[in-house]
Amino acid sequence: MNNTRCPVVILISGNGSNLQAIMDASHDSAYEVVGVVSNRPEAYGLQRAASAGVPGAVVDHREYPDRESFEQALATTIDTWQPRLLVLAGFMRILTGGFVSRYSGRILNIHPSLLPAYRGTNTHQRVLDAGEREHGVSVHFVTEELDGGPVICQAAVPVTVGDDRDSLARKVATREHSIYPEAVDWFARGRLVMRDNAAFLDGRRLPESGVRLDPATD
Ligand code: GAR
């Protein structure tokens, strides 16, 4: 199966625990992680990639005068590996419409909230401040609209008494590491596509909140 596996490039900015989960699950999947790019040279995820024998590269946004030139360098690096799919895994740069359209329908992102609620940053604290009883994570296609592309799947976690930002982040991360590799595998198998600004799984248009994945059904 090795020769026919879907080549995937993963973009990171930091720890890379989702990168790790996706690499770990790749041995039993239809995809292969062929490269990792970080916009931060100190990102721990680069060490994770090296340990797994996956090539890594740094495209440091601070070395470019504007977003367009940064993204041009990013695309040049990505394209050396000729991926079919780009996976954003804690990649903390906003991408322009030009970059997104270059890889249209071929970029996934993971976001720590039950989209469309809580787009943007600092989601765990905002969920706590709002007194929510439920929080979670979404995997979605990337479009020009920030955190606004079609949702593919979600997993929920309960917010319980005594939760703080760190405990919520840990709960969410556990679910992230389960559902993200699964969504990448769906894409790799050709089961998941973006069409008319909607996500389709096995030919069926997914609802606004995507597929709900609970621990028992993962
Ligand atoms: C993850 O929780 C991911 O959902 C979040 O960054 C974290 C990266 O962790 N992404 C965003 O907030 C994107 N807006 P990791 O580096 O350990 O995978």
Side-chain angles (χ1 to χ4, degrees):
M1 183 159 177
N2 258 356
N3 290 338
T4 58
R5 290 201 294 169
C6 171
V8 173
V9 166
I10 303 190
L11 273 54
I12 61 166
S13 297
N15 177 32
S17 68
N18 281 284
L19 160 69
Q20 187 73 59
I22 293 166
M23 290 191 301
D24 289 348
S26 69
H27 309 293
D28 196 21
S29 79
Y31 64 84
E32 179 181 13
V33 182
V34 295
V36 171
V37 190
S38 174
N39 66 305
R40 294 196 170 274
E42 71 279 11
Y44 180 62
L46 289 168
Q47 292 181 43
R48 296 180 187 270
S51 299
V54 173
V58 175
V59 182
D60 189 337
H61 62 279
R62 293 166 299 192
E63 292 177 1
Y64 298 87
D66 51 36
R67 215 172 269 280
E68 283 69 26
S69 56
F70 163 65
E71 289 184 348
Q72 184 54 54
L74 188 60
T76 301
T77 300
I78 290 167
D79 291 349
T80 59
W81 290 306
Q82 299 194 295
R84 265 178 52 212
L85 177 68
L86 298 187
V87 170
L88 311 187
F91 182 68
M92 303 309 266
R93 302 299 300 168
I94 292 172
L95 296 167
T96 68
F99 184 92
V100 170
S101 62
R102 182 178 184 132
Y103 304 100
S104 179
R106 300 195 290 130
I107 314 179
L108 304 187
N109 183 42
I110 191 156
H111 181 76
S113 79
L114 295 171
L115 291 170
Y118 300 101
R119 295 179 183 184
T121 57
N122 200 23
T123 59
H124 309 308
Q125 190 60 54
R126 287 159 60 209
V127 161
L128 285 167
D129 292 347
E132 302 279 8
R133 288 276 157 268
E134 189 178 61
H135 184 30
V137 54
S138 307
V139 175
H140 65 95
F141 281 107
V142 173
T143 62
E144 275 189 54
E145 193 185 347
L146 183 64
D147 299 330
V151 175
I152 296 158
C153 54
Q154 294 187 326
V157 301
V159 183
T160 48
V161 177
D163 263 331
D164 58 16
R165 207 173 55 179
D166 291 344
S167 66
L168 264 192
R170 280 194 297 274
K171 284 189 204 177
V172 167
T174 301
R175 304 299 296 127
E176 291 188 339
H177 301 161
S178 165
I179 74 169
Y180 212 3
E182 184 159 9
V184 174
D185 193 52
W186 288 343
F187 184 95
R189 290 179 195 276
R191 296 178 56 194
L192 174 68
V193 293
M194 187 177 95
R195 205 167 51 234
D196 304 331
N197 205 39
F200 288 75
L201 182 63
D202 297 329
R204 275 177 303 142
R205 186 187 174 113
L206 295 175
E208 190 194 20
S209 56
V211 180
R212 187 70 165 244
L213 293 175
D214 297 318
T217 62
D218 284 1

